[in-house]
Amino acid sequence: MIVVTVEKVPGYEIVETLGVVMGNTVRSKHLGRDIAAGLKTLIGGEIEGYSEMLAEARNIALERMINNAEKLGADAVIGVRFASSAVMGGAAEMVAYGTAVRLRKVGS
């Protein structure tokens, strides 16, 4: 599966647009991360526990988006974007979305 943030894939032409696909996950903080984050805010610097949580959430959302595109028979997802939002205190949603397309290699 080709996944790109741009609207065209070099060397290919879009032969069919299948629609918007997305994947999401909602993740919550846990006590250990909260305590570490609280201490880190006193001294400054990266809050690694939260960085790891967000990276994991992005990967899960991306994987779910790709799975949805594969169910439609897509060769690629173009225009991929990520968004996040607070769902409630202590929980955040990560969304990956883009346009599922079928491609044909140029010149074949």
Side-chain angles (χ1 to χ4, degrees), residues 64-108:
R64 290 178 180 174
M65 181 198 69
I66 291 169
N67 289 339
N68 286 331
E70 287 173 343
K71 288 177 187 173
L72 295 176
D75 300 314
V77 182
I78 60 172
V80 173
R81 302 288 184 265
F82 291 93
S84 63
S85 63
V87 176
M88 57 183 272
E93 177 184 36
M94 179 67 67
V95 179
Y97 61 95
T99 303
V101 296
R102 287 198 179 113
L103 301 173
R104 176 173 46 229
K105 194 159 187 71
V106 174
S108 51

Side-chain angles (χ1 to χ4, degrees), residues 8-79:
K8 295 182 180 181
V9 179
Y12 292 86
E13 65 178 333
I14 296 169
V15 294
E16 187 176 3
T17 300
L18 303 171
V20 174
V21 288
M22 67 180 74
N24 73 315
T25 184
V26 176
R27 311 297 286 186
S28 65
K29 301 181 279 187
H30 64 70
L31 185 58
R33 284 186 176 144
D34 282 345
I35 291 171
L39 294 173
K40 197 63 156 181
T41 60
L42 295 174
I43 59 173
E46 181 179 6
I47 303 171
E48 292 178 15
Y50 286 161
S51 294
E52 290 168 6
M53 181 182 75
L54 288 172
E56 180 182 340
R58 276 191 302 275
N59 290 336
I60 291 168
L62 185 62
E63 182 180 316
R64 290 178 180 174
M65 181 198 69
I66 291 169
N67 289 339
N68 286 331
E70 287 173 343
K71 288 177 187 173
L72 295 176
D75 300 314
V77 182
I78 60 172

